[in-house]
Amino acid sequence: MTILHSLQALGTIPGPVALAIGVFDGLHRGHQEVIRAAQEHAAQHQGTAVVMSFEPHPLRVLRPASAPKMLCGLAYQSLLLERMGISTALLCPFTPETAATSAEAFMDQLVEHCHPLGCISVGYTWTFGKGRGGDIHLLMNQGQAHGFAVYGMPPIREEGVIVSSTVIRDAVISGDLAKASRLLGRAYALYGEVKQGRQLARQLGFPTANVRPEAELLPPFGVYTVEVEIEGRLEKGIANLGVRPTVENQGVAPSLEVHLFNWRGDLYGRNLEVRLGHFIRPEQKFAGIDELKQQITRDLESARLMFEQ
């Protein structure tokens, strides 16, 4: 995937440029519809669909205390976009200067740098520019003036609730990963690189991959059934999400210790997408290694039974 880092870089993209614009944390079902509209326009006009987001999240500049923890890191977002067929993304730097730019001036820059600007696709309620001065109506007026199409995608509802990153965050925090998966339109997963660990689990007879999740927002700590796609196969297993209180001191960063039932190979340095399934039990501190080993054995039995159901 090609990742651009400035509005000026849009001038390098073959036009007409079909922009899908938003803060696409989670890339949930509503985001997917916004992106799909841009893809369809690009396909119809032999152009290029570009997903445009902002880095950091605008609230981290405007109201840092209100900024949400992110559901997806940038590497996982790139992977998900590639799966959707997107080959180009723009991470627009969001600075105090960006925040002070009027909606009209922002639009002028997009029109100037795209050769040409074919369409803009956004969520219908999306606002932008200084003081949130831009909305779908301003976009439509600009589209008429400059000759580009505008798609304002209506919200998607699930069980009467509008699909949004906020609702998904609430589901993740509460541990309702089935609901999070429905709203995302895919299995809820944590993504990260396999790092070298202490190899204590291997010594106990349960080798694990130590995954450092990219996401800032994590579900409740504990033991889960998991599935991981490796070399075209979906491997089943079990994972502990947390800080390993039995064997670690306080202040350790959370990790995801993944044990796969039938995988025997080297995963160090790989990025894994770990799909979390059933919650087995909360993370807990045991009296010692022997008690921990006994509990892991019980957890494995519980996980295998859950997969059989």
Side-chain angles (χ1 to χ4, degrees), residues 3-22:
I3 299 181
L4 311 176
H5 297 278
S6 70
L7 296 181
Q8 291 80 359
L10 288 169
T12 67
I13 303 302
V17 177
L19 287 176
I21 308 178

Side-chain angles (χ1 to χ4, degrees), residues 20-55:
I21 308 178
V23 180
F24 296 113
D25 182 30
L27 285 169
H28 56 62
R29 290 170 55 200
H31 295 154
Q32 292 165 30
E33 290 303 307
V34 171
I35 293 168
R36 193 169 292 117
Q39 288 178 295
E40 291 176 356
H41 187 279
Q44 292 169 2
H45 297 85
Q46 293 76 53
T48 306
V50 178
V51 173
M52 177 178 171
S53 189
F54 301 90
E55 176 63 24

Side-chain angles (χ1 to χ4, degrees), residues 194 199 201-202 206-210 238 256-260 268:
V194 178
Q199 298 189 327
R202 184 178 299 275
F206 311 102
T208 62
N210 176 21
I238 191 172
L256 189 64
E257 297 285 343
V258 181
H259 172 76
L260 301 175
Y268 290 126

Side-chain angles (χ1 to χ4, degrees), residues 225-248:
T225 62
V226 297
E227 292 182 316
V228 182
E229 186 174 334
I230 302 176
E231 297 175 356
R233 289 182 52 191
L234 199 60
E235 302 287 348
K236 293 180 171 60
I238 191 172
N240 182 81
L241 173 65
V243 293
R244 298 163 295 181
T246 304
V247 297
E248 298 284 6

Side-chain angles (χ1 to χ4, degrees), residues 23 61 65 76 94 96 120-121 129 145 148 151 183 191 199 215 218 222 233 236 241 255 270 280 295 304:
V23 180
V61 175
Y76 193 30
F94 196 90
I120 290 179
S121 176
F148 61 85
Y151 303 102
L183 300 178
Y191 185 82
Q199 298 189 327
L218 299 175
R233 289 182 52 191
K236 293 180 171 60
L241 173 65
S255 67
R270 292 197 192 193
I280 298 175
Q295 183 60 56
R304 291 182 188 278

